[in-house]
Amino acid sequence: MVRLERLVLQGFKSFKRKVSIPFPPGFSVITGPNGSGKSNIGDAITFVLGRSSARAMRAKKAHELIFQGSKTKPPSDFAKVTLYIDNSTSGLPLDESMISLSRKINSKGISTYRLNGKVVTRQQIVDILSQVGIQPDGHNIIQQGDVTQVVEMDSVGRRQIIDEISGITEYNDKKNKAMKEMEVIAGKLKEADILLSEKQQIMDKLKAERDAALEYQKQQEELEKVRLAQIYREYTEFQKGVEGIDARVAEKGRLAEQAENDVKELDASLEGEEKKLEELTKDVLNAADQVELARKLSQVENEIERKRERIRYNHKEIERIDTLMGRLRSIETYHYQAPGLQKILEFKGVQGKVSDLLVVPKQYQTAAEVAAGAHMGDVVVETMDDAVKCVKYLKDNRLGRFRFLPMDKMRAGALKRQLPPGSLGWMSQLVHHEPKYGGIVDFVFGSTACVKDIDETRKIADRLSVRMVTLDGDLYETSGALTGGFYKPRQKQQGYEQDVKQYMEEKKRLEAENWDLQQQLRKLAEDLDILAEKERATKRTDMERDRAKLDESLRRIRDRRKRAYEERVSIQQEIGKLNIQRAKFEAGLENIKLQWDENKEKLQDTAPFEGYLKETQQKLDQLRKECIVKMQGFGPVNMKAIKDYEVLSSEFEDFREKVDRITEEKRSIDETIQKIESKRGEVFMRSLNEVSRHFRDVYHELTRGEARLELDDQSNIESGLLIKASPPGKRLLNIDSMSGGEKTLTAFSFLFAIQRHKPSPFYILDEADAALDKLNTKRIVELLKKHAQAVQFIVISHNDHLVREADRIYGITMEEGESNVMGIELPQEN
């Protein structure tokens, strides 16, 4: 245990000159007359130990601790106190065996601390000394008049002394620190719970939007599968139709070729029989004129039959041309309309298809087709009522679906955007139309600019976001999507006009030829009548029977030829019908091909929509309607909610984990506080029981009486500490009922009880014996001498008996306002 080695004062209170006071082990007494300054030595020790209150050192201000001067001596500029501590036992965590502590205060009240000559802070001094139980305001320092303070203070303050000596102050600090942490954590947890609740509400709302978006997306995917299945089915069916027709046409072509060959063979046979008939006729006729007559007659008959056959053939051809022209008109209509459109076009208020209302310059035809797309087949009506009437008609008659563009809902307006530099113009301004269709044209083409080629498109797209179409059919969307490649312009109208023109010319030619043939037939009939009359005048021979047989043979051959010719014509008509059907399939294939090309990659793999290919077209239409109805039923859908929910869900879970960690941290702090409180209670009660036992023993040793310490509330260590004492021959007294001497003895008992439990290196008692009589003083002296073997006692007193029993005496005198010290070491008793 460390001990005080020496005290050096200079300019402190009444000590002007530098004074050194050694403190050997044992029991030292500082004595002197009242006012000599002996209590200033105790103040000096508390001053250098770091006591901060000037009033506790009996001064109003800090600068009053400096020597104030006297009549003959000037005041000091500073006060300095140095305390040397023997650390040979290494009680303090310093290497030196002798420790010097000094404190210097100037006239401004500013203090400077030094440890072994090095400047340090007050707190550093306090922290180092506390490790050996030395405190500037410790219970081991009893100032003048404070001896009974321990018994007169309130019970809570008295209990706090036990707190201090038991070491639970450390637990209190830990508890307070934990409570502060708990307060911070509780605040964080409360804030986190509020945020968690708010985030939960946001997540619940976002989840509902996410679920709706997923369901909407599901319906979109379902609708897309149905749409792809319909495109695939229509495309493949049209393709198979074309292939099937080609096969049938090829077969019919072979049959037609066979029929043609048959006709040629029969024509050859007919020519041979006619030669035989001519030769027979020569034999029958005797005269040359008769031969010539028969020959002419036969020629006229044959020519008449050929002319009639030609007329019949031409009539068949004219019928076939009329049929083909009707079919061509149907095909042309089929390119841009479906069943029911022709009837609708006859309704009042219906203006026609968009394609019928536009006049597109030749150089812009491809661009217009691509820019308008499916809108070319839209039906223009005057009013919304006309559109509703048409829709109801189609529904009632199950004739398909069309898009109707009411003129009263689509108003023309000037384009607000500036034409992109380098473009040829707005498509809506490059096509020609009647002024009343301005709103329709604006709707169909919108703000689509026409540019020369794809390179010009790229240049403009780098600067502006505008929809553009090139002259050869490449389409750039504002989204950045680019549709392009080889585009085959529609040639239906031009081909139709050429076919109709050719058929009309052929029909006129055939009709003119028939008229000529009719005229020739009338002339031949007249010649036949003349020749027949001449023949009747000619004699017949038996060979006429042979001629009759040849006539019959010719008739049969002509009949066979007629049948072969009619079969050939029939086959050609069937081929014409098949070609018309093929044209329909080709038209359908071309109509669906744009959708096929746009979705070509998706259509390569049919697995995603293979199940729908097994459904009927009616079932697919029903599924499509159901998907559309469901999607419309969702109303506005936040598709971003799917991704937002995924992101926020992760953030929410992270935040929830953070809240859980805060909750766990709070629980951990709660457990820590409970453990600290439990340990604190154990340490406190152990110290209280030991101090109470020492208090009982010391009190009995001093007074032969009984005394004990106990808590006001035995179950609460925060309650006050009660001192109960019974002097000899007296019942248990209340503190207030004790005399001054009894209170002093009780205070000494409490002080020495603490000393036995937790000894301090030294004790300073400033006139603590003032209220004691000689007997009790003797008892106190004996107790002091007994404990002085282990610790230092520095007693400030002018009690003669106490002074005589000291190991060393320091006499303090006052001369001209300055205190002087004289030391006397008493001889040891044998």
Side-chain angles (χ1 to χ4, degrees):
M1 183 178 294
V2 301
R3 66 177 182 83
L4 303 185
E5 177 69 24
R6 179 160 48 97
L7 179 68
V8 179
L9 303 88
Q10 182 180 358
F12 182 80
K13 297 187 80 170
S14 59
F15 293 89
K16 176 176 176 55
R17 288 174 296 175
K18 187 174 183 179
V19 176
S20 179
I21 304 175
F23 291 114
F27 173 26
S28 299
V29 173
I30 300 173
T31 188
N34 290 334
S36 61
K38 57 184 181 292
S39 293
N40 290 341
I41 294 175
D43 292 339
I45 294 174
T46 60
F47 172 78
V48 75
L49 292 179
R51 179 170 285 184
S52 56
S53 173
R55 291 186 178 275
M57 293 177 284
R58 297 175 298 122
K60 293 181 179 181
K61 301 288 184 178
H63 66 85
E64 293 182 1
L65 296 173
I66 303 172
F67 179 72
Q68 299 296 308
S70 63
K71 293 180 179 181
T72 59
K73 296 180 180 181
S76 297
D77 296 329
F78 61 89
K80 181 178 180 181
V81 178
T82 301
L83 180 64
Y84 292 88
I85 299 175
D86 184 352
N87 189 38
S88 57
T89 60
S90 299
L92 291 171
L94 298 171
D95 296 334
E96 293 82 358
S97 60
M98 184 65 67
I99 306 299
S100 68
L101 303 176
S102 67
R103 180 181 179 185
K104 182 178 180 181
I105 186 170
N106 59 23
S107 58
K108 294 181 179 180
I110 299 174
S111 294
T112 302
Y113 292 87
R114 291 181 183 272
L115 175 62
N116 290 334
K118 296 181 180 179
V119 177
V120 294
T121 64
R122 172 186 178 276
Q123 190 60 45
Q124 288 177 299
I125 296 290
V126 172
D127 291 342
I128 290 174
L129 296 178
S130 64
Q131 298 184 46
V132 291
I134 300 175
Q135 300 288 342
D137 298 303
H139 59 271
N140 59 323
I141 301 175
I142 298 178
Q143 293 182 299
Q144 186 176 353
D146 291 342
V147 65
T148 59
Q149 180 181 5
V150 69
V151 294
E152 292 177 345
M153 67 174 54
D154 64 88
S155 59
V156 174
R158 193 180 304 123
R159 189 261 304 156
Q160 289 174 346
I161 296 176
I162 304 299
D163 290 349
E164 181 181 346
I165 64 172
S166 65
I168 68 169
T169 302
E170 175 185 354
Y171 293 102
N172 290 339
D173 292 341
K174 290 181 179 179
K175 180 180 178 182
N176 290 335
K177 182 180 179 181
M179 291 299 292
K180 288 180 180 179
E181 291 178 357
M182 174 65 77
E183 184 178 354
V184 173
I185 290 297
K188 287 183 179 179
L189 185 60
K190 182 178 180 181
E191 181 180 350
D193 285 338
I194 294 173
L195 290 175
L196 185 64
S197 176
E198 293 176 353
K199 287 180 179 291
Q200 184 66 59
Q201 293 177 2
I202 294 173
M203 289 300 297
D204 291 343
K205 180 181 178 182
L206 190 59
K207 183 178 183 299
E209 293 181 357
R210 190 279 308 258
D211 293 343
L214 287 174
E215 184 62 28
Y216 185 86
Q217 191 178 64
K218 179 182 177 183
Q219 294 301 323
Q220 274 186 325
E221 293 172 354
E222 186 92 357
L223 182 61
E224 178 68 5
K225 291 177 182 178
V226 172
R227 187 182 71 84
L228 292 174
Q230 289 180 318
I231 294 173
Y232 187 87
R233 170 175 288 176
E234 290 184 25
Y235 185 84
T236 53
E237 286 180 354
F238 283 134
Q239 198 173 47
K240 289 178 181 178
V242 170
E243 293 172 355
I245 293 294
D246 287 343
R248 292 176 62 188
V249 168
E251 178 62 27
K252 293 293 181 182
R254 287 191 295 272
L255 294 176
E257 185 179 356
Q258 181 63 42
E260 181 69 22
N261 292 334
D262 291 345
V263 170
K264 289 179 180 179
E265 290 177 1
L266 290 171
D267 283 342
S269 298
L270 187 61
E271 185 178 355
E273 290 297 316
E274 286 177 347
K275 286 181 178 180
K276 290 179 181 180
L277 182 60
E278 183 179 351
E279 291 175 357
L280 182 61
T281 303
K282 288 179 181 180
D283 293 339
V284 173
L285 297 174
N286 294 323
D289 56 341
Q290 290 177 331
V291 174
E292 181 64 22
L293 178 61
R295 185 182 66 76
K296 289 182 178 179
L297 180 61
S298 177
Q299 286 179 345
V300 170
E301 288 177 346
N302 290 333
E303 187 67 21
I304 288 173
E305 184 61 31
R306 288 192 184 94
K307 300 292 184 185
R308 287 176 179 171
E309 186 67 25
R310 185 63 181 176
I311 289 173
R312 286 195 296 269
Y313 173 78
N314 287 347
H315 277 305
K316 293 282 186 179
E317 283 297 303
I318 290 171
E319 290 177 1
R320 186 174 68 85
I321 288 171
D322 289 340
T323 302
L324 288 174
M325 287 178 64
R327 295 294 185 181
L328 283 174
R329 293 189 186 95
S330 299
I331 293 171
E332 177 60 19
T333 302
Y334 187 82
H335 279 298
Y336 288 104
Q337 63 191 48
L341 179 57
Q342 189 61 40
K343 181 64 177 176
I344 288 175
L345 293 175
E346 298 173 0
F347 283 6
K348 182 181 179 181
V350 177
Q351 301 294 304
K353 303 192 305 298
V354 170
S355 60
D356 298 334
L357 304 179
L358 300 178
V359 177
V360 184
K362 184 177 180 180
Q363 66 269 32
Y364 301 126
Q365 284 182 353
T366 298
E369 283 183 14
V370 173
H375 287 303
M376 279 295 190
D378 292 354
V379 179
V380 179
V381 296
E382 291 182 357
T383 65
M384 178 62 77
D385 292 338
D386 294 332
V388 173
K389 180 176 67 175
C390 293
V391 170
K392 288 183 177 179
Y393 173 79
L394 292 173
K395 283 186 176 179
D396 294 340
N397 294 276
R398 299 191 177 189
L399 294 177
R401 298 166 62 86
F402 299 97
R403 178 162 36 216
F404 296 93
L405 308 180
M407 294 167 60
D408 62 340
K409 296 296 182 181
M410 298 182 179
R411 306 296 184 187
L415 285 170
K416 297 180 179 179
R417 296 191 61 173
Q418 183 179 0
L419 183 66
S423 64
L424 303 176
W426 298 112
M427 281 306 307
S428 59
Q429 296 172 350
L430 295 176
V431 298
H432 305 309
H433 57 84
E434 294 183 35
K436 62 181 180 180
Y437 300 130
I440 302 299
V441 174
D442 288 346
F443 168 75
V444 170
F445 293 105
S447 55
T448 303
C450 182
V451 297
K452 179 181 178 182
D453 51 31
I454 192 66
D455 292 329
E456 191 64 34
T457 301
R458 182 180 58 79
K459 293 177 183 178
I460 296 175
D462 290 341
R463 306 189 309 269
L464 300 171
S465 177
V466 61
R467 191 171 188 258
M468 292 175 283
V469 64
T470 65
L471 291 176
D472 54 358
D474 297 323
L475 181 63
Y476 176 78
E477 302 287 356
T478 55
S479 63
L482 178 64
T483 303
F486 175 73
Y487 180 80
K488 181 181 179 182
R490 296 182 183 271
Q491 298 295 330
K492 297 182 181 62
Q493 183 65 26
Q494 182 179 354
Y496 167 73
E497 291 174 352
Q498 291 176 352
D499 290 344
V500 169
K501 182 178 180 181
Q502 291 174 1
Y503 287 141
M504 289 299 293
E505 290 175 354
E506 179 68 13
K507 182 178 179 181
K508 288 180 180 179
R509 187 187 66 77
L510 292 173
E511 289 175 344
E513 184 180 351
N514 279 357
W515 189 85
D516 290 339
L517 290 172
Q518 291 290 344
Q519 297 301 317
Q520 294 174 21
L521 278 176
R522 283 194 291 273
K523 180 67 171 63
L524 289 172
E526 293 175 357
D527 294 342
L528 183 62
D529 290 341
I530 295 171
L531 291 174
E533 184 64 27
K534 289 180 178 181
E535 184 184 24
R536 282 192 294 272
T538 305
K539 292 182 178 181
R540 301 290 190 272
T541 67
D542 293 338
M543 295 180 72
E544 286 182 354
R545 289 189 297 271
D546 295 332
R547 180 183 174 185
K549 291 180 180 179
L550 287 173
D551 285 339
E552 179 63 22
S553 176
L554 285 171
R555 185 188 62 79
R556 287 196 300 269
I557 292 173
R558 290 189 183 103
D559 287 342
R560 288 173 59 194
R561 182 187 184 281
K562 179 181 178 182
R563 287 194 298 272
Y565 178 79
E566 288 177 347
E567 182 180 358
R568 186 192 71 173
V569 171
S570 176
I571 292 173
Q572 287 176 341
Q573 288 178 344
E574 289 181 9
I575 291 174
K577 291 179 181 178
L578 288 174
N579 284 331
I580 290 171
Q581 292 180 14
R582 187 182 189 282
K584 286 185 177 181
F585 283 127
E586 284 182 337
L589 188 62
E590 188 170 351
N591 284 337
I592 199 68
K593 192 174 186 307
L594 180 60
Q595 297 183 54
W596 176 275
D597 292 340
E598 290 176 350
N599 299 274
K600 192 170 184 179
E601 292 184 4
K602 298 178 183 177
L603 292 166
Q604 294 300 320
D605 181 14
T606 61
F609 55 89
E610 187 173 2
Y612 294 98
L613 296 175
K614 301 175 183 178
E615 302 291 346
T616 63
Q617 186 63 38
Q618 183 179 1
K619 179 64 174 179
L620 291 177
D621 290 338
Q622 181 182 351
L623 290 173
R624 182 173 176 272
K625 291 177 182 178
E626 289 176 357
C627 289
I628 293 173
V629 170
K630 288 180 181 179
M631 290 170 65
Q632 291 174 344
F634 284 107
V637 178
N638 180 14
M639 298 304 295
K640 286 184 61 182
I642 299 174
K643 186 175 182 180
D644 291 346
Y645 182 83
E646 182 179 349
V647 174
L648 292 180
S649 179
S650 176
E651 294 178 358
F652 180 76
E653 289 303 321
D654 291 342
F655 186 78
R656 188 197 295 276
E657 291 178 3
K658 180 181 178 182
V659 174
D660 292 342
R661 287 196 297 271
I662 294 174
T663 304
E664 178 61 25
E665 189 175 352
K666 180 177 180 297
R667 187 191 63 78
S668 176
I669 293 174
D670 278 334
E671 292 180 356
T672 300
I673 292 174
Q674 292 175 5
K675 290 179 181 178
I676 291 173
E677 190 63 21
S678 175
K679 186 66 176 178
R680 176 172 172 266
E682 292 176 6
V683 172
F684 177 84
M685 291 307 299
R686 184 165 58 248
S687 296
L688 176 61
N689 292 334
E690 290 183 8
V691 171
S692 180
R693 177 170 56 81
H694 293 317
F695 176 69
R696 183 185 66 240
D697 294 344
V698 173
Y699 188 81
H700 181 74
E701 185 178 346
L702 287 176
T703 67
R704 299 297 186 269
E706 300 292 332
R708 68 178 184 272
L709 302 175
E710 63 181 34
L711 291 173
D712 188 26
D713 181 356
Q714 296 295 326
S715 62
N716 182 13
I717 64 173
E718 301 294 338
S719 62
L721 180 64
L722 302 178
I723 296 179
K724 295 185 177 181
S726 298
K730 295 183 179 180
R731 62 182 180 82
L732 187 66
L733 295 176
N734 186 289
I735 293 296
D736 295 334
S737 303
M738 291 182 180
S739 64
E742 289 173 335
K743 289 181 179 180
T744 300
L745 290 175
T746 303
F748 269 109
S749 299
F750 187 76
L751 177 65
F752 283 107
I754 291 173
Q755 192 275 334
R756 288 184 180 183
H757 174 70
K758 188 175 183 180
S760 180
F762 65 90
Y763 288 86
I764 299 175
L765 307 176
D766 190 356
E767 297 190 17
D769 59 331
L772 297 177
D773 56 18
K774 290 183 178 182
L775 177 61
N776 288 329
T777 298
K778 183 178 179 181
R779 293 175 178 174
I780 291 298
V781 169
E782 291 175 354
L783 195 61
L784 287 174
K785 294 184 71 174
K786 179 179 179 180
H787 286 84
Q789 297 174 7
V791 296
Q792 284 180 303
F793 281 94
I794 301 173
V795 180
I796 301 171
S797 175
H798 44 67
N799 188 306
D800 294 341
H801 182 72
L802 193 147
V803 170
R804 284 196 301 270
E805 296 296 327
D807 297 325
R808 175 172 289 192
I809 301 172
Y810 298 94
I812 308 300
T813 60
M814 177 70 72
E815 296 180 3
E816 296 182 355
E818 179 182 5
S819 296
N820 295 314
V821 181
M822 178 181 65
I824 302 174
E825 184 173 357
L826 298 180
Q828 296 293 327
E829 293 182 0
N830 294 327

